[in-house]
């Protein structure tokens, strides 16, 4: 939440702020500077707001263009949705508005006030608050104290008396009965409520909601949507970045779509959903190929082959972050030298699966087997020595080191100098574009060059399995073509590939088998060909009906013949 400075932690200054607030507000009754105002919604109504205007906003991070000449206007009281694939620049845009980042070019104004370049706390005092996907309250403080700190920490000296009380905020966010509970004891839904409550307590009139529904299902999702509705009815403006379609459909009146940092579509939720450009972006069909045109055809006995020579087996794995369940009893197999794609919408659990396999995120239950030996609790560096290499989403190169230094840092721990040199030559042969860039700082490379470097660094470890997370993220189609052609050479050298992708056509074109995840569960496992049927693919992406190759075989091989149960 932008109400707190980066790195701020619940130390003595926080405790002092809470104590001061208690004294000032009288007997710790939860009131901040004002008496209670009566009816709850009345306390939140008549919020004065101003239009928020972004003009030609551009943001660069080194050689990566995150936002590219974006202009938009949010009217007072409007709820605007922002959607797009991973890496489209959605969260970056919210951070630019909130002051966490400064734009490389362009202006942001709220009413008559220009706010781009201001500190986050100053932006917040102008009436803009950011609620993050993963709430980070002060766990040792109570719910009420967290809200109280947010309110008192951002009261301007000499400002007019607040319109609402902490009690009002708690009641609106359905946290009244949890006011005295420690924030660290809350479940995911209440943590989401608390994140919104803290933003409201700062007096924000424009709310920036970054995937506040992530991880919620069923009644919890319904409750979150109802809460956001209630806040919006108070007259506050909202910009909602969200991957849960239901949130966009039920709350916002207008949607903008970002891709590669550019605004590519705008309209009502229904109009945007029907836009062919948007469907292409989400399903990765910018330059669709025929499955099998660049890879070996899928064998009818591929599943039997994998079972008899499994390189990696994921058995019933569950994983998550705090109260958020990211993977729910996931099964997956990869054979020697096999290419397997894992597809799914944003938030489906794809990157978490990659991190569980490489050891960056622990499995809460289930098993991971590497060549029939259990590695479930093996640390990341030991998995790397066994032959598991991970090229992560976002590349994660060392920007201040040279290309050559980045590559050598990925070399196998036990490799001799001669072996490292030999391996470096092989990697530079795979990515000849890097050969002339060896002395250049990695942070100065283009996005495509950085992706080549990230994959090359992983290949330096001489893996048996290479995990590529969002290989095509934010890259031009011609660069993606080059990278996927390179993967064929990697596969020909005997390295198995686990491709975590949203770009379905690219990954399916080189895959032996594919999996689809929906909200942490496997909804399809089998040959890639059935996923070329767009209706079937959309069902697996967004509706979660579990199907396997066996189901398709029983349905006569036609994915449209499989009952959807919807």
């Amino acid at each position: 939440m932008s109400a707190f400075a980066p790195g701020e932690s619940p130390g003595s200054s926080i405790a002092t702020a809470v104590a001061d607030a208690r004294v000032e507000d009288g007997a710790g009754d939860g009131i901040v500077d004002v008496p209670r105002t009566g009816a709850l919604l009345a306390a939140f109504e008549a919020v004065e707001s101003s239009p928020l205007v972004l003009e030609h906003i551009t943001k660069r991070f080194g050689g990566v263009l995150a936002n590219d000449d974006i202009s938009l206007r949010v009217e007072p009281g409007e709820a605007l949705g922002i959607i797009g694939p991973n890496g489209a620049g959605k969260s970056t845009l919210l951070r630019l508005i909130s002051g966490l980042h400064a734009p490389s070019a362009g202006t942001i104004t709220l009413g008559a006030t220009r706010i781009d370049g201001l500190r986050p706390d100053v932006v917040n005092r102008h009436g803009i608050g950011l609620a993050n996907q993963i709430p980070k309250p002060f766990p040792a403080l109570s719910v009420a104290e967290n809200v109280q700190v947010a309110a008192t920490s951002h009261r301007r000296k000499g400002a007019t008396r607040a319109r609402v009380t902490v009690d009002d905020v708690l009641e609106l966010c359905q946290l009244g009965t949890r006011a005295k509970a420690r924030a660290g004891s809350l479940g995911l839904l209440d943590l989401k409520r608390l994140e919104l409550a803290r933003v409201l307590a700062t007096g924000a009139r424009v709310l920036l909601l970054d995937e506040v529904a992530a991880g919620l299902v069923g009644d919890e999702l319904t409750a979150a949507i109802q809460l956001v509705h209630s806040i919006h009815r108070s007259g506050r403006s909202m910009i909602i970045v969200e991957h849960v379609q239901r949130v966009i459909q039920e709350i916002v009146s207008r949607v903008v779509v970002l891709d590669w940092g550019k605004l590519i579509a705008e309209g009502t939720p229904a109009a945007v959903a029907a836009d062919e450009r948007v469907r292409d972006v989400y399903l990765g069909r910018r330059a669709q190929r025929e499955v099998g045109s660049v890879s070996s055809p899928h064998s009818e006995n591929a599943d039997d082959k994998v079972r008899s020579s499994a390189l990696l087996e994921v058995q019933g794995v569950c994983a998550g972050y705090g109260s958020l369940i990211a993977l729910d009893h996931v099964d997956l197999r990869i054979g020697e030298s096999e290419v397997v794609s894992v597809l799914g919408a944003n938030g489906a659990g794809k990157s978490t699966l990659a991190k569980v396999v490489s050891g960056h995120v622990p499995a809460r239950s289930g098993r991971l087997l590497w060549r029939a030996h259990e590695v479930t609790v093996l640390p990341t560096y030991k998995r790397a020595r066994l032959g598991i290499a991970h090229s992560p989403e976002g590349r994660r190169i060392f920007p201040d080191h040279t290309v050559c230094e980045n590559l050598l840092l990925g070399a196998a721990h036990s490799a001799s100098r001669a072996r490292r040199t030999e391996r470096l030559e092989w990697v530079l042969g795979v990515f000849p574009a890097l050969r002339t860039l060896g002395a250049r700082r990695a942070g100065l490379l283009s996005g495509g060059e950085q992706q080549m470097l990230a994959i090359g660094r992983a290949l330096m470890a001489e893996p048996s399995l290479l995990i590529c997370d969002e290989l095509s993220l934010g890259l031009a189609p011609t660069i993606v073509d080059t990278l996927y052609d390179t993967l064929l050479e990697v596969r020909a050298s005997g390295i198995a590939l686990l491709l975590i992708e949203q770009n379905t056509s690219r990954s399916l074109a080189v895959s032996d088998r594919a999996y689809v995840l929906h909200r942490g569960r496997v909804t399809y496992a089998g040959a890639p060909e059935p996923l070329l049927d767009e209706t079937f693919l959309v069902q697996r992406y967004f509706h979660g009906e579990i199907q396997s190759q066996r189901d398709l075989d029983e349905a006569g091989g036609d994915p449209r013949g499989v009952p959807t149960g919807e």
Side-chain angles (χ1 to χ4, degrees):
M1 185 176 68
S2 63
F4 296 92
E8 189 174 47
S9 61
S12 59
S13 60
I14 296 299
T16 301
V18 173
D20 290 345
R22 284 172 173 163
V23 172
E24 181 179 12
D25 300 332
D29 59 3
I31 296 175
V32 177
D33 209 28
V34 294
R36 287 190 55 80
T37 57
L40 177 62
L41 287 178
F44 284 86
E45 289 173 354
V47 173
E48 296 178 4
S49 189
S50 302
L52 177 68
V53 181
L54 283 68
E55 293 185 330
H56 306 294
I57 289 296
T58 296
K59 179 61 181 178
R60 292 182 180 274
F61 296 96
V64 177
L65 182 61
N67 292 134
D68 185 4
D69 195 29
I70 295 175
S71 296
L72 59 86
R73 178 186 178 98
V74 182
E75 298 295 343
E78 182 182 11
L80 172 73
I82 300 180
I83 65 173
N86 284 346
K90 307 180 298 297
S91 293
T92 297
L93 193 61
L94 293 191
R95 281 157 176 72
L96 289 171
I97 297 170
S98 68
L100 289 173
H101 296 321
S104 304
T107 62
I108 305 173
T109 57
L110 181 63
T113 304
R114 183 169 171 177
I115 61 172
D116 56 277
L118 299 180
R119 296 195 319 265
D121 60 307
V122 177
V123 173
N124 180 255
R125 287 169 183 164
H126 279 290
I128 295 178
L130 172 64
N132 288 306
Q133 174 185 356
I134 300 178
K136 294 182 179 178
F138 302 106
L141 299 183
S142 71
V143 169
E145 287 170 339
N146 267 275
V147 176
Q148 205 161 33
V149 167
T152 58
S153 296
H154 293 270
R155 221 181 314 153
R156 288 171 294 177
K157 185 174 182 180
T160 57
R161 295 163 70 80
R163 292 182 180 276
V164 298
T165 71
V166 166
D167 287 346
D168 287 329
V169 173
L170 292 173
E171 188 174 347
L172 177 68
C173 295
Q174 301 171 356
L175 290 170
T177 60
R178 305 283 287 160
K180 296 182 180 180
R182 288 179 61 253
S185 69
L186 299 181
L188 182 59
L189 176 59
D190 283 339
L191 283 171
K192 302 279 190 179
R193 288 168 169 160
L194 179 55
E195 182 75 359
L196 289 170
R198 296 171 77 203
V199 174
L200 286 172
T202 68
R205 304 185 302 278
V206 179
L207 274 62
L208 312 177
L209 308 185
D210 193 1
E211 297 189 47
V212 294
L216 300 177
V217 296
D219 292 341
E220 290 185 340
L221 178 58
T222 299
I225 291 174
Q226 290 173 344
L227 173 55
V228 175
H229 263 308
S230 297
I231 296 171
H232 184 227
R233 283 198 301 270
S234 72
R236 284 164 173 78
S237 307
M238 291 183 170
I239 301 180
I240 303 175
V241 167
E242 191 54 75
H243 301 311
V244 179
Q245 285 188 317
R246 184 180 162 196
V247 176
I248 296 296
Q249 292 168 350
E250 295 187 20
I251 295 177
V252 309
S253 56
R254 182 166 61 103
V255 179
V256 298
V257 185
L258 301 185
D259 186 36
W260 294 347
K262 285 185 139 329
L263 197 158
I264 65 165
E266 181 176 357
T268 65
V272 165
D275 192 312
E276 192 67 20
R277 294 171 299 172
V278 177
R279 298 174 73 88
D280 286 351
V281 163
Y282 269 93
L283 299 179
R285 300 179 304 179
R286 297 186 190 91
Q288 187 165 0
R289 305 176 184 177
E290 294 293 329
V291 170
S293 63
V294 293
S295 65
S296 58
H298 175 76
S299 168
E300 293 181 1
N301 298 318
D303 288 338
D304 293 336
K305 180 181 177 181
V306 172
R307 288 188 179 91
S308 62
S309 59
L311 178 66
L312 172 75
E313 292 184 80
V314 177
Q315 300 178 348
V317 163
C318 297
Y321 310 91
S323 302
L324 191 153
I325 298 174
L327 297 177
D328 186 6
H329 295 89
V330 168
D331 293 319
L332 176 141
R333 290 184 178 89
I334 302 175
E336 298 277 358
S337 304
E338 189 183 27
V339 180
V340 172
S341 287
V342 178
L343 311 173
N346 291 351
K350 306 185 301 297
S351 292
T352 299
L353 177 59
K355 293 173 182 176
V356 167
V357 171
S358 62
H360 289 90
V361 171
R364 293 179 177 175
S365 61
R367 305 170 69 210
L368 285 90
L369 302 180
W370 178 257
R371 290 180 169 141
H373 297 285
E374 184 160 355
V375 295
T376 310
V377 297
L378 207 64
T380 303
Y381 74 93
K382 289 188 176 181
R383 297 189 200 191
R385 291 177 183 177
L386 287 176
I388 300 175
H390 188 176
S391 179
E393 178 183 355
R395 298 144 196 167
R396 301 297 179 91
I397 58 173
F398 298 103
D400 294 329
H401 289 273
T402 67
V403 168
C404 187
E405 288 168 343
N406 269 271
L407 291 173
L408 290 173
L409 284 169
H413 176 266
S414 58
S416 65
R417 175 174 294 184
R419 183 58 185 161
R420 288 198 298 270
T421 300
E422 180 183 345
R423 189 65 179 178
L424 179 61
E425 278 300 311
W426 183 84
V427 170
L428 293 176
V430 172
F431 293 111
L434 296 179
R435 187 178 293 276
T436 59
L437 301 172
R440 183 174 298 182
R441 283 176 52 203
L444 300 178
L445 301 181
S446 68
E449 291 165 344
Q450 289 186 3
Q451 187 66 77
M452 294 177 191
L453 178 58
I455 297 172
R457 182 180 59 187
L459 290 172
M460 285 293 296
E462 303 185 48
S464 300
L465 170 65
L466 172 62
I467 305 168
C468 292
D469 193 354
E470 300 290 4
L471 177 74
S472 61
L473 185 64
L475 301 180
T478 55
I479 300 299
V480 177
D481 280 337
T482 299
L483 289 173
Y484 268 92
D485 289 342
T486 301
L487 289 184
L488 298 179
E489 183 176 346
V490 172
R491 189 255 185 92
S493 71
I495 299 173
L497 299 172
L498 176 59
L499 305 179
I500 308 297
E501 266 288 11
Q502 284 189 351
N503 194 327
T504 60
S505 62
R506 305 280 187 176
S507 56
L508 291 175
V510 300
S511 296
D512 298 299
R513 291 181 307 111
Y515 293 78
V516 179
L517 293 182
H518 173 73
R519 290 183 173 252
R521 301 189 69 193
V522 175
T523 59
Y524 176 83
E529 288 85 359
L531 295 174
L532 290 178
D533 182 278
E534 183 176 316
T535 300
F536 181 69
L537 177 61
V538 169
Q539 288 171 346
R540 303 288 74 74
Y541 253 57
F542 300 114
H543 301 295
E545 179 72 13
I546 298 175
Q547 300 293 343
S548 66
Q549 187 63 42
R550 180 181 299 174
D551 296 325
L552 295 176
D553 293 339
E554 291 175 352
D558 184 353
R560 289 163 293 188
V562 178
T564 65
E566 298 162 5

